Amino acid sequence: MIFVAQEELIKTIHLNTSEKLDKLRKVTEFQGENLTEYQSLKTITNAIMWKAEKSDSNFLLWLHYMGHYIKYKYKGYWVLLRRERIFSEGTFLSPAIMDKTSDIWTVGDFCHTLYYKKGRMRGISFDTIYKIHIERLAWKPKFEDLNIPREDLIMLE
């Protein structure tokens, strides 16, 4: 799993945002100015999913951007969740955004699923992803709703 292989990058996901966004702009050939607009998120996501080379590097750039967008929109901050591996022993760190009221967006979980398990959004529209994972129309979990021990929450910011 990428989160195990790239643990050092995951631990620093909250750092060097400008550099990561510049790389993302190059990969997606994005010409827009404001990366915190809905249309920018849609354009970049579609470029990553449909045009860009499928790679762990591009995935991590996109994951960072999704988190950056959520962080800006909902005034949150980066955290890591220590999770148990399913098919082997040990744990891994998964990035998330949490706000001051403990609302949480499990960025690592949903991004990983969409990119790797759902074949880069095959059969799923961006608008659906946005409503389910960013606006969270169906469920707006608090950290406590995830049933993760408090000691497995790592504050990055």
Side-chain angles (χ1 to χ4, degrees):
M1 169 185 248
I2 187 169
F3 295 139
V4 174
Q6 299 292 334
E7 184 172 347
E8 291 308 310
L9 286 174
I10 297 302
K11 287 178 181 178
T12 61
I13 194 156
H14 63 297
L15 302 176
N16 304 318
T17 294
S18 295
E19 290 173 26
K20 291 171 185 169
L21 294 177
D22 286 344
K23 286 181 187 175
L24 182 70
R25 282 178 184 275
K26 288 178 185 161
V27 166
T28 60
E29 300 176 355
F30 181 73
Q31 301 297 316
E33 291 297 318
N34 190 346
L35 292 173
T36 58
E37 293 177 348
Y38 171 86
Q39 189 56 47
S40 298
L41 184 70
K42 184 175 183 175
T43 299
I44 288 174
T45 296
N46 285 332
I48 286 289
M49 296 302 178
W50 301 101
K51 297 175 186 170
E53 173 190 347
K54 185 175 182 178
S55 70
D56 290 350
S57 175
N58 287 347
F59 165 71
L60 290 170
L61 289 172
W62 178 67
L63 180 146
H64 175 267
Y65 176 51
M66 290 294 277
H68 172 75
Y69 179 90
I70 294 167
K71 177 183 169 181
Y72 177 83
K73 182 169 178 69
Y74 296 99
K75 298 175 180 40
Y77 48 90
W78 283 104
V79 298
L80 297 175
L81 305 173
R82 186 173 311 283
R83 311 297 286 272
E84 294 290 326
R85 292 189 202 177
I86 295 174
F87 298 109
S88 62
E89 289 190 28
T91 61
F92 66 95
L93 299 173
S94 181
I97 300 293
M98 191 162 75
D99 72 8
K100 65 181 176 183
T101 66
S102 292
D103 278 3
I104 195 155
W105 290 258
T106 55
V107 180
D109 293 346
F110 78 77
C111 285
H112 188 270
T113 297
L114 293 170
Y115 195 81
Y116 292 105
K117 296 179 183 173
K118 300 284 185 191
R120 295 205 308 180
M121 286 181 23
R122 299 289 185 243
I124 301 169
S125 75
F126 175 80
D127 293 331
T128 299
I129 290 166
Y130 193 88
K131 288 175 183 172
I132 291 172
H133 296 293
I134 296 175
E135 287 184 345
R136 302 169 312 144
L137 293 180
W139 183 46
K140 294 186 179 189
K142 302 278 188 192
F143 171 74
E144 295 75 23
D145 296 329
L146 299 181
N147 293 323
I148 296 173
R150 183 58 87 174
E151 59 268 14
D152 288 343
L153 173 68
I154 302 161
M155 309 301 273
L156 292 177
E157 299 181 301

